[in-house]
Amino acid sequence: MNNEVMNSIYSQVSIKDGKKVIENILLDIYFKPGISTKDIARKTLLPLPIVAAIKKEFVKAGIIEQNRGVNCTTKGLRLVEHTMGYGHLDRSLYQHLKYDQWQRDELHEMLTKLEGVFEGRPQVDVTIDQSRCTLETSLKRAVLALRHEALIGRDIVCLGDDDLVSVSLAFLLKQLFRQDAHKSNTRIHVFEIDKRIISYVNYLAEVEDLPIVCYEMDFREQLPSDFLRRFDCVFTDPPYTQQGMSLFVSRGIQLLKREIGLPIFLSFAHKSPDFALEMQREFSRMGLLVTSVLPRFNEYIGAEIIGNTSQMIVLQSTEETKESIARDYRDALYTGEVRRTIRAYECKRCNLVTEVGFQMTWQTIEQLKKEGCPSCRHDTFELIQKKNA
């Protein structure tokens, strides 16, 4: 959202928390008519004088008025409902999702429809570290965006989307806006290297009338300049290597607007203390603030190597935010490249031994099973040896 009123107030008030805080204050007033200045300060964790100064600028702009607490004027209502996109919102559901623990049966109809959508998604390609998160996890990520005021009226980008987060975001918007997600003023972009996922999400966007646009993109290449500094929010579940995390988060930073307080929702495997410490150092080098770490937030299907779970790390942009990888990237990236392991599998029918690994004829056991034993076409194997390439 780009609004002259917000820009003007931000320029008038000395605040280092970012323009997003000013927007959130207006939303607090909109959803809680009559709220006191003290309650606003308590909710935003801002000093009372700062809140009073912001409130004064809103009054001068004719956006709010002081009358038995703070309330939006007609002009303020128009700003929130039309410009910011909250006008046709199911307010009760929005408030419930934002502040309460939601239950599956409350969103039964939407989840039933999404079950078929998620069952139809392409098979994972483990050579590029894909894994299938559960439907509930994908929807939890969408609700997380709502709770961070990063859903409605925002430009959102998903860096890789084998988890169909874009679809969950759009379906949640349809639920909140009575089946018309476009009324939210939200635009969702998907940058993805896998043509199968692009084709599937494009199909869903057309059939369900979702505000999603997909682009084929390899993050090892520089991003097109047309997309830089355009987005309010980033979702990514990158390869679970240090290189993968650094590259995908760097690309996310390049896409974010140059504003303070914008979120990057990073899903990443639980790692050792030493690995996690290096991640924190990298976040610090990139000028990102870690606002929360949610262990076991994500659940996956058939990802036993990471215990079928991963953490959600919520990062926030600051004045010092900058990417650590700006140009083309040519080093190892995916797990199979970084840890070059060759596995020997024995066919359970004819006992032929076949090697599987990086730059081999079969890079994964899934590929070997799909094509079958080179000798007898049987599809059941036993791992008999593992060695470094």
Side-chain angles (χ1 to χ4, degrees):
M1 182 197 70
N2 185 18
N3 182 266
E4 292 180 6
V5 174
M6 298 297 181
N7 292 335
S8 175
I9 292 173
Y10 184 56
S11 67
Q12 294 296 320
V13 180
S14 178
I15 179 173
K16 293 187 176 181
D17 296 75
K19 189 172 66 177
K20 194 164 178 277
V21 171
I22 296 174
E23 297 172 5
N24 291 345
I25 287 175
L26 182 57
L27 289 175
D28 286 337
I29 297 168
Y30 174 77
F31 283 108
K32 280 197 161 186
I35 190 172
S36 69
T37 307
K38 284 184 179 179
D39 283 341
I40 296 172
R42 194 176 295 115
K43 280 197 72 177
T44 58
L45 304 179
L46 289 174
L48 197 58
I50 294 290
V51 174
I54 293 171
K55 189 180 77 171
K56 181 181 177 183
E57 293 300 325
F58 271 130
V59 171
K60 281 168 56 178
I63 302 301
I64 65 170
E65 59 186 359
Q66 184 79 42
N67 181 17
R68 294 184 180 179
V70 187
N71 298 273
C72 288
T73 63
T74 302
K75 182 179 178 181
L77 292 174
R78 192 163 55 245
L79 172 61
V80 174
E81 294 175 354
H82 296 284
T83 305
M84 296 176 70
Y86 286 79
H88 302 276
L89 179 71
D90 182 336
R91 294 176 62 155
S92 175
L93 177 60
Y94 171 83
Q95 295 280 63
H96 176 60
L97 291 174
K98 186 170 182 181
Y99 298 111
D100 304 323
Q101 289 293 328
W102 55 275
Q103 302 297 321
R104 185 181 175 90
D105 57 357
E106 295 171 318
L107 301 172
H108 175 73
E109 186 177 341
M110 180 182 76
L111 285 167
T112 299
K113 191 163 191 177
L114 278 172
E115 281 175 355
V117 167
F118 272 65
E119 286 172 5
R121 60 184 157 168
Q123 292 294 316
V124 298
D125 182 350
V126 297
T127 63
I128 54 174
D129 287 2
Q130 288 181 353
S131 57
R132 282 184 162 190
C133 83
T134 63
L135 165 57
E136 287 78 7
T137 291
S138 188
L139 187 57
K140 275 169 62 180
R141 294 180 189 176
V143 173
L144 191 65
L146 180 149
R147 292 182 173 179
H148 281 77
E149 305 294 359
L151 177 64
I152 297 170
R154 305 295 180 182
D155 287 302
I156 302 171
V157 62
C158 299
L159 300 187
D161 201 25
D162 51 306
D163 293 329
L164 301 187
V165 174
S166 63
V167 177
S168 292
L169 288 163
F171 266 79
L172 182 58
L173 288 169
K174 289 185 75 169
Q175 193 77 9
L176 287 165
F177 288 88
R178 300 172 181 87
Q179 300 307 306
D180 192 350
H182 294 274
K183 288 181 179 177
S184 68
N185 292 351
T186 300
R187 292 162 295 272
I188 304 167
H189 291 65
V190 173
F191 292 172
E192 172 62 59
I193 195 172
D194 191 330
K195 292 183 175 69
R196 302 170 307 150
I197 293 173
I198 292 172
S199 176
Y200 190 56
V201 174
N202 278 337
Y203 163 76
L204 293 170
E206 182 178 354
V207 170
E208 298 291 341
D209 192 26
L210 307 176
I212 304 174
V213 181
C214 297
Y215 299 90
E216 184 181 349
M217 211 161 292
D218 184 344
F219 303 131
R220 288 173 290 201
E221 311 292 336
Q222 292 188 59
L223 298 174
S225 59
D226 290 352
F227 295 112
L228 303 183
R229 311 302 178 192
R230 277 185 48 184
F231 296 92
D232 302 291
C233 165
V234 174
F235 276 93
T236 189
D237 192 341
Y240 292 158
T241 61
Q242 191 72 248
Q243 298 92 325
M245 184 277 293
S246 296
L247 178 62
F248 278 56
V249 173
S250 286
R251 296 302 186 230
I253 289 170
Q254 291 177 307
L255 294 167
L256 278 181
K257 294 175 181 175
R258 289 190 182 277
E259 294 181 13
I260 299 169
L262 301 184
I264 296 176
F265 298 105
L266 168 65
S267 295
F268 206 79
H270 300 100
K271 292 288 188 177
S272 68
D274 286 345
F275 192 107
L277 179 60
E278 185 52 41
M279 283 178 64
Q280 290 183 15
R281 289 192 180 115
E282 183 70 350
F283 296 148
S284 180
R285 284 191 286 268
M286 291 190 279
L288 291 169
L289 174 66
V290 179
T291 61
S292 60
V293 178
L294 307 172
R296 296 177 293 280
F297 181 92
N298 303 295
E299 295 185 3
Y300 300 87
I301 302 166
E304 287 83 4
I305 196 167
I306 59 169
N308 291 319
T309 65
S310 75
Q311 61 191 323
M312 172 62 74
I313 304 171
V314 183
L315 304 166
Q316 193 176 94
S317 61
T318 69
E319 279 188 342
E320 298 180 14
T321 295
K322 63 183 184 302
E323 66 274 16
S324 63
I325 302 171
R327 300 185 182 278
D328 289 353
Y329 182 84
R330 290 291 174 260
D331 293 335
L333 177 64
Y334 299 107
T335 304
E337 299 172 340
V338 175
R339 301 181 201 153
R340 298 192 177 186
T341 302
I342 295 176
R343 292 173 169 83
Y345 289 92
E346 184 178 68
C347 174
K348 286 198 171 183
R349 175 181 287 173
C350 71
N351 302 118
L352 179 74
V353 176
T354 304
E355 289 190 333
V356 172
F358 181 66
Q359 291 186 333
M360 308 291 288
T361 303
W362 294 273
Q363 295 189 46
T364 69
I365 183 59
E366 287 79 9
Q367 291 176 346
L368 179 59
K369 285 180 177 179
K370 186 176 180 181
E371 295 185 30
C373 171
S375 175
C376 68
R377 297 304 168 193
H378 190 61
D379 62 359
T380 305
F381 302 86
E382 181 179 355
L383 176 65
I384 60 172
Q385 187 183 31
K386 184 170 70 171
K387 62 184 179 181
N388 293 328

